[in-house]
Amino acid sequence: MLFSDQLRKDVDPIWEASFQHPFVKELGEGTLDLRCFRYYVLQDSYYLTHFAKVQALGGAMADDLQTTASMANHAQNTYEAELRLHETFMKELGITEEEKASFVPAPTAYAYTSHMYRAAFAGHFGDVLAAILPCYWLYYEIGERLKHCKPNHPIYAKWIETYGSDWFRQLVEQQIARLNDIAKTVSEKELERMKQHFWISSQYEYLFWDMAYKLERWPMEEEDVYANERA
C-alpha cells in the first residue's frame, strides 16, 4: 500500500466528519449564514498567508532545485489563486480595511499555523509535506463532493468551483506523489512522525470548519480585558 493510501485510510473518520460538518453541508446547499463565511474568509486569509510561507520553507529544504522551483510555484499559486479569491470575497462581503487592520487570528487558526511551522522547523521536507497535504487533499475531496451542488449564492458557487477544478486536482496529485517518493527513502521513525503531522493537520481541518461555524473567540479578547481593567 502506498504511504498516501495508508494516511488517507487512517484519517477517514476525521475527514468524514469534515464532509458532514454543517459549515460544509450548508455551503453546498447555499444556506450557510454569511456571517460564518465572512469570518471564515478572514481567518483563512491569515492561514493561507502562513501556508504559503511553509510551502516556501519546504522548497528551501528540498534536495533538488526542480522540487524547490515546484514548491515556489505552489506558494505562488496559493497567493495568486486562493488569496486573490479571498480578496474578491472580502470586497463582495464588504470587509473593510479597518477590519483587516484590526484582525486577530482565532485560537484554532493560530494553533493550526503554529503546528505547520513546528513540523517545518523540527523536521525535514517530508514533515512539511505531511503537515500541509491535508489542506490540499481534503479541500479537493470536498470540492469533488460539492461540485454538482447549485448554491444560490455566487460566492459559495465560486468557492466550490475553485476547489473542484482540474487545476487544483493537479496540485494535489503532485504533492501526493512527492510525499510517496519521500516515504520510500526515510526511516520508520520518520514515517511515524510524518503520519502524526498528517493526522494532526486533519484534526485541525475539522476544527477550522467548527471555528468558523461557531465564530470562535479567545476566552478573553482585548475588549473584555479593557472592560475588566475599567471595572
Side-chain angles (χ1 to χ4, degrees), residues 41-229:
V41 166
L42 281 165
Q43 297 294 333
D44 202 43
S45 294
Y46 166 83
Y47 169 85
L48 288 172
T49 298
H50 292 283
F51 186 81
K53 291 178 180 180
V54 175
Q55 288 172 313
L57 282 170
M61 298 164 75
D63 290 333
D64 61 277
L65 190 56
Q66 183 178 0
T67 302
T68 297
S70 177
M71 291 300 293
N73 184 58
H74 276 254
Q76 186 174 0
N77 280 326
T78 297
Y79 169 70
E80 291 185 348
E82 296 187 83
L83 276 171
R84 284 190 179 175
L85 176 68
H86 279 26
E87 288 173 5
T88 300
F89 288 161
M90 286 185 186
K91 290 177 182 176
E92 294 180 9
L93 292 166
I95 295 172
T96 66
E97 291 301 318
E98 289 75 17
E99 286 178 279
K100 294 179 192 177
S102 62
F103 169 81
V104 175
T108 295
Y110 187 84
Y112 191 179
T113 53
S114 297
H115 158 66
M116 292 192 298
Y117 281 121
R118 184 178 186 276
F121 285 111
H124 51 59
F125 183 40
D127 294 289
V128 173
L129 285 178
I132 67 176
L133 184 55
C135 179
Y136 282 94
W137 195 351
L138 177 67
Y139 268 59
Y140 171 68
E141 289 201 16
I142 289 174
E144 280 291 290
R145 285 175 177 246
L146 299 184
K147 70 180 181 182
H148 298 300
C149 294
K150 303 295 182 185
N152 57 11
H153 202 296
I155 285 182
Y156 298 159
K158 183 63 177 176
W159 189 96
I160 294 168
E161 178 187 337
T162 298
Y163 293 111
S165 65
D166 286 339
W167 162 81
F168 196 69
R169 173 182 57 78
Q170 290 169 8
L171 292 179
V172 174
E173 290 176 349
Q174 187 179 73
Q175 296 293 54
I176 291 173
R178 186 167 283 138
L179 185 69
N180 284 327
D181 288 342
I182 292 174
K184 298 172 186 174
T185 68
V186 300
S187 68
E188 283 298 320
K189 182 177 180 180
E190 289 169 311
L191 286 176
E192 287 303 314
R193 191 177 67 222
M194 289 161 65
K195 286 180 183 179
Q196 185 179 56
H197 293 324
F198 192 90
W199 184 85
I200 291 172
S201 291
S202 295
Q203 296 277 10
Y204 274 126
E205 286 295 331
Y206 173 84
L207 289 170
F208 212 91
W209 309 122
D210 208 52
M211 168 199 74
Y213 197 70
K214 296 176 179 176
L215 308 177
E216 181 185 72
R217 288 166 47 99
W218 289 94
M220 290 292 291
E221 296 200 342
E222 284 188 13
E223 59 267 30
D224 301 319
V225 174
Y226 294 150
N228 287 340
E229 287 176 350

